[in-house]
Amino acid sequence: SKEGARGRSGEEILAILASLESKSEHPIASGIVAHAKLNNIVVQAVEKFEAILGEGVSGVVGGLEYFAGNRRLVSRVGPISPMGPMLEAQIALQETEGKTVVILTSKSEILGTVAVADAIKPEAIEAVAQLHRRGIKVVMLTGDHKNTAQFIAKQVGIDDVVAEVMPQDKLDK
């Protein structure tokens, strides 16, 4: 979002988020960092970085602790000022458009969000079509929110979606 909490600009929010994500190996993180660099936003030093499996990341930037990730992370961190209905609606809309929303928060407040979208490769659509021609049902198994996953599945022609699965549970599914 362009405006953050307490008058923080979109650039400040992106700088904090890109700083945290610069330590992450997740593909979404590299997209956020690349976008920040394209916009000449300086990535700052991060202390006490932690990758939180299936949820996001945390770390200290400029002496303050931040968290970046999905709804599960935000609900666990439990900021004093949680997401309001307008932000919830905005996130839900972005997810139905196939975007993954990364929420930046401190322990006290939600600071902002960034929506990231994967470009669907034409060869993915063709690969699914070839599997269908062979009589193979295609299932997407993902940690993404169900709305995001269903959008992508529809675009590619995937038959069924199992979403919001934690990494350690994927093999069991």
Side-chain angles (χ1 to χ4, degrees):
S1 51
K2 294 191 180 180
E3 243 346 272
R6 295 196 182 168
R8 285 195 173 114
S9 70
E11 288 78 19
E12 289 175 282
I13 302 276
L14 186 54
I16 296 165
L17 186 56
S19 298
L20 285 174
E21 297 291 9
S22 71
K23 299 289 185 187
S24 174
E25 295 178 2
H26 197 283
I28 288 175
S30 62
I32 291 171
V33 173
H35 179 72
K37 288 181 178 175
L38 274 174
N39 287 280
N40 298 314
I41 291 174
V42 178
V43 172
Q44 302 165 54
V46 179
E47 299 171 351
K48 299 180 183 175
F49 175 81
E50 182 184 354
I52 305 160
L53 199 62
E55 294 183 0
V57 297
S58 68
V60 175
V61 179
L64 298 172
E65 184 177 28
Y66 296 100
F67 304 84
N70 58 26
R71 287 185 175 104
R72 194 170 22 242
L73 175 65
V74 173
S75 66
R76 195 173 54 74
V77 170
I80 297 162
S81 300
M83 288 188 283
M86 285 181 61
L87 183 56
E88 287 274 7
Q90 174 191 345
I91 290 171
L93 175 63
Q94 289 171 327
E95 288 169 341
T96 61
E97 295 171 346
K99 297 171 184 165
T100 298
V101 179
V102 179
I103 305 162
L104 178 66
T105 184
S106 66
K107 285 188 177 176
S108 60
E109 62 184 334
I110 304 289
L111 302 171
T113 64
V114 170
V116 181
D118 279 330
I120 296 171
K121 296 180 177 108
E123 57 268 24
I125 296 168
E126 179 55 31
V128 171
Q130 285 181 18
L131 291 168
H132 283 155
R133 286 194 289 274
R134 294 180 183 179
I136 298 171
K137 178 181 177 182
V138 181
V139 179
M140 177 193 294
L141 180 64
T142 180
D144 287 343
H145 190 274
K146 63 183 178 185
N147 292 341
T148 304
Q150 286 169 348
F151 178 89
I152 300 297
K154 185 176 179 183
Q155 302 298 309
V156 179
I158 292 172
D159 303 298
D160 198 9
V161 175
V162 181
E164 300 178 41
V165 182
M166 293 293 283
Q168 65 271 22
D169 299 331
K170 286 182 179 175
L171 187 57
D172 293 337
K173 298 280 183 191

